[in-house]
Amino acid sequence: MPFLYFLEQLKECSIIFVLMEVNSALVDHIAHLSRLHYEESEKTAIAADLQKMISFVEKLSEIETSGVEPLQHMGNAINVLREDEVKGSATRQDALENAPVTDGTFFKVPKVIRK
Amino acid sequence: MSILSNKYEAVIGLEVHAQLATKSKLFCGDSIAFGAEPNTHVSPITLGHPGTLPKTNKKAVEYAIMMGIACHCEIEKDNFFARKNYFYPDLPKGYQVSQHTTPICKGGHIAIKTDGVARSVQLNRIHLEEDAGKSIHDIDDDYTCVDYNRAGTPLIEIVTEPDLFSAEEAYQYLTEVRRLVRWIGVCDGNMEEGSLRCDANVSVRLKGETKLGTKVEVKNLNSIRNVKTAIEHEIDRMTHMLENGETIIQQTRSFDAGSNTTFAIRDKEEANDYRYFAEPDLPPFHLQQSFIDSIKQALPALPAALMGKYEHEFGLSEYDAAQLCQEKEIAEYYAAVTAHTNHYKAAANWINGPVKHYLNEHKIHISSFVLKPAQIADLLLLVEEGKVNFSVASVKLLHAMIAEHHKTALQLATALNLLQVSDANELETWVSTALERMPDKVKEYRKGKKGLIGLFVGEVKKLSKGKADPKVVTSLLEEKLNGAD
């Protein structure tokens, strides 16, 4: 039974893809959202891959799930809340350890153009 | 402009982000204190390291519910968080955790008053979400510097329906939101430090038109006055565009406080695609009615309720009641004074008058005022009983009490010789002396120039050094002047 709930959730997420044909514009759009770069020559292969994934999801939609509530969460836990206490911060040195560029104070990223 | 404002109408919706006054972040234990050294309030959860698990702050949920109750919203019992996916350097995880499908508070309204007319501004929702970090663009030539201290700070976003119709209404609405969040203690309401932020969606349409015009979103509004100025500017700009037959394009604009104008920061070329889905790392939370009820019961009396009480039970004017309820601590101070005296009107006058004047002059908040409400009650009682006159009490005696606050009002009034004399013999002597000094004026008075009574009272006041009770003096003078010729 949980599988059916999960399926309903998946179908909700994928509904946009089910209705869409993977064309060049869609590949560009998804790549932009994911900030992925690829060579123009790879585009056809990527589109074919995506189309396969969508076909897989479409296959799932053959199962009857109408009337089944979407599954919001995999576990049964609810109300896992914590008290409002200050604890658990890392030292700045540790926090910055994996930063690609840092001056010991900030995370530095490529200039974000403004105005 | 006045002709145009008869032809067009503005429709405004506001999105207010209020930083909740918790100690720690929404999903982890980092402090949210303002002004810390960059990147010192960051944990692996804040930074979105793999394998970390967020956990919701119960206090933040409570605060969101408090605001919802204060705004007459329906509280959603079945809540879950969603991921809003987008890339920006100040967003360490690549998504913001927000409540997309189930805002914790639905609907609701906030009462405002413009030009003496009251109405309710309809809310769409209030939801919980986490804040982003801070990008600093101007300290490094080659890089943008990011400070993640603020990332994960709990916010509520209070969203109105497009239900505001002028810059003044927006101003009154924001003033009310700020008073409410401060009143119930869920946010410090400080716009300069960014704990209260406002984005304005403004559109203009022909009057009578039911379809909304193309909207422009104005950001970077860090004071309530700026919100008003920016909206005024936008309405003016868009009205003139329409009048000139130009097309308004959907834009995000920023306010420039230097020139009081706005400039475009980006056009909305394609609809945002945030690919929301239920946050798998956070289990849903279900609110019991009993939990919501307990929060409701713990909520302080709201300004509207207190104002009603002061007007109807204490007989104050609407103006006086509103003045007292501008700030919760003032209203509480007033309530404490009235626990010691039932001179309600006098107590309101004292607090709205000399007390506030003193606090403003010395830039002191009522919470650090040295005089206890009982002392103000004692002071006003001296005036009500006619022992000290109001002007002497509100200046000399009030300041003397502040300077020596361990002494009682009566002790100080006695020591400083401020008690009014109502003793008939002493008053008689002053009155007679005053009249003897001005025989000509006495003659004029008796011929009908009754206005001269003020002059005589003033003379007695001078002779008595302000200690003569003016009411008694006046009747004594009238008795003498109108009596036997």
Side-chain angles (χ1 to χ4, degrees):
Chain A
M1 228 17 211
F3 177 71
L4 279 184
Y5 292 115
F6 179 57
L7 201 56
E8 182 58 29
Q9 170 76 15
L10 238 184
K11 279 158 76 174
E12 276 207 347
C13 292
S14 57
I15 198 120
I16 174 170
F17 295 112
V18 175
L19 298 172
M20 246 182 238
E21 178 212 346
V22 183
N23 54 27
S24 167
L26 183 62
V27 174
D28 287 343
H29 177 64
I30 295 169
H32 173 70
L33 289 173
S34 327
R35 300 296 187 274
L36 288 176
H37 296 281
Y38 53 88
E39 298 299 323
E40 202 55 32
S41 56
E42 296 173 274
K43 209 165 170 178
T44 323
I46 291 171
D49 260 358
L50 280 174
Q51 193 70 66
K52 265 189 221 162
M53 291 178 210
I54 286 169
S55 304
F56 170 71
V57 176
E58 273 176 334
K59 185 85 189 149
L60 293 179
S61 69
E62 288 169 15
I63 301 169
E64 174 59 39
T65 56
S66 59
V68 179
E69 284 286 307
L71 179 74
Q72 300 295 4
H73 199 256
M74 290 304 287
N76 294 320
I78 51 160
N79 293 359
V80 184
L81 302 170
R82 45 171 265 276
E83 296 303 317
D84 181 25
E85 287 161 6
V86 172
K87 60 181 179 191
S89 294
T91 63
R92 180 153 72 186
Q93 199 184 351
D94 283 351
L96 292 168
E97 204 181 314
N98 294 317
V101 186
T102 178
D103 57 1
T105 304
F106 292 103
F107 289 82
K108 295 197 171 191
V109 300
K111 202 88 176 159
V112 180
I113 316 280
R114 301 197 87 205
K115 289 189 190 176
Chain B
M1 188 60 218
S2 61
I3 298 161
L4 291 185
S5 66
N6 285 331
K7 188 172 168 189
Y8 294 97
E9 82 170 342
V11 183
I12 303 151
L14 296 181
E15 293 168 14
V16 174
H17 286 92
Q19 179 182 317
L20 296 176
T22 53
K23 297 193 208 62
S24 66
K25 291 186 180 176
L26 185 51
F27 300 118
C28 68
D30 293 327
S31 164
I32 63 159
F34 180 80
E37 280 292 301
N39 294 307
T40 54
H41 293 169
V42 290
S43 64
I45 295 174
T46 291
L47 297 173
H49 279 269
T52 55
L53 267 186
K55 205 170 176 187
T56 307
N57 187 336
K58 191 177 167 192
K59 199 82 197 166
V61 173
E62 283 177 24
Y63 281 169
I65 296 170
M66 282 167 74
M67 190 59 182
I69 294 170
C71 299
H72 317 279
C73 304
E74 181 195 332
I75 308 298
E76 172 66 58
K77 293 209 178 86
D78 298 325
N79 288 269
F80 64 91
F81 285 101
R83 289 187 183 180
K84 178 182 180 178
N85 298 281
Y86 66 95
F87 280 118
Y88 200 78
D90 63 14
L91 195 69
K93 299 190 290 285
Y95 55 84
Q96 178 196 30
V97 179
S98 178
Q99 288 188 300
H100 180 60
T101 336
T102 59
I104 189 162
C105 313
K106 294 184 287 190
H109 53 88
I110 289 179
I112 59 162
K113 198 170 230 183
T114 40
D115 300 327
V117 181
R119 65 174 280 260
S120 274
V121 177
Q122 294 303 312
L123 299 184
N124 173 285
R125 53 151 63 191
I126 301 175
H127 68 253
L128 272 165
E129 63 182 33
E130 59 176 345
D131 205 349
K134 211 177 201 169
S135 305
I136 303 153
H137 305 278
D138 54 3
I139 55 171
D140 190 308
D141 287 341
D142 304 318
Y143 292 98
T144 290
C145 294
V146 192
D147 171 10
Y148 289 119
N149 282 348
R150 203 179 62 185
T153 294
L155 304 175
I156 45 173
E157 182 174 342
I158 308 157
V159 186
T160 71
E161 295 292 348
D163 191 33
L164 293 149
F165 302 97
S166 70
E168 177 61 21
E169 283 199 350
Y171 183 89
Q172 294 302 334
Y173 168 81
L174 266 181
T175 306
E176 187 56 29
V177 168
R178 186 175 59 181
R179 171 166 73 165
L180 268 180
V181 294
R182 285 179 171 165
W183 194 280
I184 61 176
V186 300
C187 169
D188 67 21
N190 188 332
M191 286 192 86
E192 286 71 29
E193 287 179 6
S195 25
L196 201 64
R197 275 168 269 162
C198 177
D199 299 334
N201 289 302
V202 186
S203 65
V204 170
R205 65 183 172 193
L206 279 171
K207 272 195 181 158
E209 172 68 59
T210 48
K211 229 179 100 214
L212 289 171
T214 305
K215 72 173 181 186
V216 159
E217 183 174 10
V218 190
K219 291 180 173 289
N220 191 24
L221 302 165
N222 62 359
S223 76
I224 296 185
R225 182 142 300 278
N226 283 354
V227 172
K228 189 181 175 188
T229 312
I231 292 173
E232 275 166 357
H233 175 266
E234 267 318 292
I235 294 173
D236 195 44
R237 189 183 68 87
M238 290 159 88
T239 306
H240 280 95
M241 282 179 75
L242 290 176
E243 192 62 13
N244 294 335
E246 295 168 57
T247 309
I248 292 164
I249 47 168
Q250 192 172 340
Q251 278 181 329
T252 303
R253 299 178 72 87
S254 181
F255 179 66
D256 176 14
S259 63
N260 284 339
T261 56
T262 63
F263 57 90
I265 44 179
R266 59 177 175 268
D267 295 348
K268 284 233 162 101
E269 68 287 346
E270 58 178 311
N272 286 319
D273 185 354
Y274 293 123
R275 295 147 293 142
Y276 290 97
F277 62 90
E279 162 63 282
D281 286 347
L282 289 160
F285 61 99
H286 299 308
L287 302 171
Q288 304 285 340
Q289 188 58 45
S290 57
F291 179 67
I292 299 169
D293 290 342
S294 68
I295 292 173
K296 194 172 188 170
Q297 266 151 29
L299 213 59
L302 295 172
L306 267 193
M307 276 172 62
K309 178 182 166 176
Y310 293 164
E311 276 183 67
H312 303 120
E313 287 179 34
F314 290 2
L316 300 188
S317 68
E318 190 188 331
Y319 179 80
D320 284 346
Q323 291 292 107
L324 288 171
C325 292
Q326 273 175 349
E327 212 185 318
K328 190 175 115 200
E329 288 78 7
I330 296 273
E332 283 173 348
Y333 194 93
Y334 173 72
V337 173
T338 57
H340 297 279
T341 171
N342 50 14
H343 293 289
Y344 301 128
K345 172 75 183 153
N349 289 345
W350 267 94
I351 291 167
N352 285 331
V355 171
K356 274 196 191 170
H357 182 76
Y358 175 83
L359 296 174
N360 290 341
E361 198 174 32
H362 295 86
K363 295 190 170 59
I364 297 170
H365 189 254
I366 185 89
S367 54
S368 347
F369 188 42
V370 291
L371 295 184
K372 300 270 172 291
Q375 291 174 286
I376 292 295
D378 281 350
L379 184 54
L380 77 88
L381 207 61
L382 284 186
V383 177
E384 293 305 307
E385 287 170 349
K387 290 184 179 149
V388 181
N389 82 44
F390 178 76
S391 59
V392 167
S394 64
V395 182
K396 281 191 198 159
L397 192 49
L398 178 67
H399 285 82
M401 286 181 74
I402 290 163
E404 297 184 78
H405 52 88
H406 52 281
K407 290 192 180 156
T408 68
L410 187 59
Q411 280 170 346
L412 284 167
T414 314
L416 295 169
N417 206 13
L418 300 175
L419 288 177
Q420 290 192 124
V421 177
S422 313
D423 174 63
N425 288 332
E426 206 166 344
L427 290 177
E428 280 260 4
T429 322
W430 285 325
V431 166
S432 303
T433 316
L435 294 179
E436 277 160 25
R437 280 186 186 177
M438 297 182 281
D440 297 348
K441 301 286 176 196
V442 171
K443 262 185 210 156
E444 283 179 46
Y445 178 91
R446 286 185 171 143
K447 276 181 195 154
K449 220 175 161 188
K450 302 289 181 199
L452 285 169
I453 190 82
L455 183 76
F456 303 129
V457 175
E459 187 65 19
V460 176
K461 214 172 154 187
K462 236 190 282 172
L463 286 166
S464 70
K465 298 190 176 71
K467 292 195 299 174
D469 184 335
K471 271 184 235 149
V472 186
V473 169
T474 308
S475 61
L476 257 178
L477 277 165
E478 279 170 349
E479 205 176 288
K480 277 201 182 294
L481 290 163
N482 300 335
D485 218 354

